Amino acid sequence: MRAQGLRGRIRTESTLTFVCGLLAGALMVLVGRELWSPSDTDGLQHFAEVRDFARESFVREVSDQELLDDALKGMLSSLDPYSRYYDASQTQDLLRQTGGRYRGIGAVFRSPVEKGQVLYPLAGSPASEAGLRVGDQVLQLNGRDLQEFDAASFRTALGNPDPEGIRLQVRGLDGEERQLSVIPGSIVDPSVRHARMLDLERHIGYLAITRFTTETGDEFAQAMEFLAQRKMEALVLDLRHNLGGTLSSAVELARRFVHEGIIVSTEGRGEPILYEADPAGADLKGMPLVILVNASTASASEVLAGALQDHRMAALVGEATFGKGMVQAIRSFGESGGRAKVTTSYYYSPNHRNFERSADPNRDYGILPDLAVPLLAEERAPIRSFLESYSPGPDVLPALEAWAAESGQDLIPPMPVDPQLESALELLRGRYPGPSEQDK
């Protein structure tokens, strides 16, 4: 059940079999000239007949665009669990996942967000530049009282592309009301979070990577600089609940630790592609490193974990990874705004291990950790919640801590009870955690 549940997160379910199957006709008629030879008129005519039957007989009216989108989704989703088609609206979510950016003002709100209280603005964001502060309470948005918004409409309003910007009336923690104008922009959605020192005596730092985007390399560099300023000499890198993302970013991070050899290879129908180390860029070579992994560590995060494990640059602690070792190519299609993602090859580690679970019928995992540390059922949800939460930067942390102290509220997510993290720290302290350590 665990694997099935996770696979549901990685793969968005296709539409009803009836719609997906027969609507392939719409696809073939509209793009048939690109896919089939002109002589294959019988196939095109058959699909056109089925398409017309569906359009005329289906229980409700369907637009040509809906038929086309569903046909494309059905065609690709039937190939394997990872290939799929994104229509124009879904493409925006895909771009946020892989590009690491979204349109908004760059403010983190307390839950529930429709209550409109700012936890803190992100550094360098439009919200920060406009003067939004820790603890500000939104009273009105574009002249409308906050009570008129639900969560969805509030988020939509904050991403309004109007060049005039968003008019906010806010009340600060000091009781003063202010009028602000914020112009939404392209915001980096942080993929590197919770950078902090966990053991000052032994100089052990920690950070989590929630996914790999085109921004992750720069975010990681900034986090490592932050930790270096605090005299970090060893690192716990948390890849739990990281479902992957952009391969190039995972390779970029691996190259900072690995000074020679292969990082990963991809092998499919064409010639294998090798991603090799860059000796000049391996500035973190030799740093004591433990990587936390679990059953939700997948794809690009398995590439990084597998490379560092094979090169003996890191010890893996936690649970077996998911096992998504297949590469997808993404292509955009002109004015339609849609994008297609199709599996093209397999990942192979430096020791030529195939991560893909489906490649071996006797295996239901990807990579085994060097030190297996199980978690209790009640420990899992708090750990995942912590990893997925945003973490305040040093520019807002003092104000956030003062607010928390004055109000007596838990505004900064505390690190939960975490036997896997404790075991990683024990390894870096030079002690091998036995059952007695893990069962505490």
Side-chain angles (χ1 to χ4, degrees), residues 92-171:
Q92 297 306 310
D93 291 334
L94 176 66
L95 292 175
R96 177 168 179 170
Q97 293 168 16
T98 59
R101 287 181 172 268
Y102 68 98
R103 183 171 184 80
I105 65 172
V108 177
F109 287 84
R110 295 187 69 183
S111 182
V113 296
E114 63 269 25
K115 296 296 184 181
Q117 187 165 33
V118 176
L119 199 56
Y120 56 87
L122 298 177
S125 66
S128 178
E129 297 296 329
L132 205 62
R133 304 171 189 161
V134 168
D136 276 347
Q137 173 65 56
V138 176
L139 303 175
Q140 289 188 340
L141 195 161
N142 288 335
R144 295 172 57 191
D145 289 341
L146 191 67
Q147 291 76 13
E148 298 181 34
F149 295 89
D150 59 17
S153 61
F154 185 67
R155 288 192 180 96
T156 299
L158 293 177
N160 189 339
D162 189 337
E164 297 296 322
I166 297 170
R167 292 177 288 109
L168 295 177
Q169 181 179 349
V170 303
R171 182 174 56 240

Side-chain angles (χ1 to χ4, degrees), residues 329-384:
I330 299 176
R331 179 179 170 184
S332 60
F333 291 90
E335 296 180 358
S336 70
R339 296 196 177 208
K341 182 171 69 173
V342 176
T343 298
T344 58
S345 53
Y346 288 104
Y347 291 125
Y348 286 89
S349 77
N351 290 345
H352 211 255
R353 292 184 292 167
N354 186 341
F355 308 141
E356 175 57 38
R357 61 191 296 144
S358 65
D360 183 348
N362 299 315
R363 192 183 73 197
D364 63 352
Y365 60 86
I367 302 172
L368 291 175
D370 299 296
L371 176 63
V373 181
L375 292 177
L376 300 175
E378 59 267 26
E379 294 168 336
R380 295 184 180 277
I383 291 173
R384 178 176 175 182

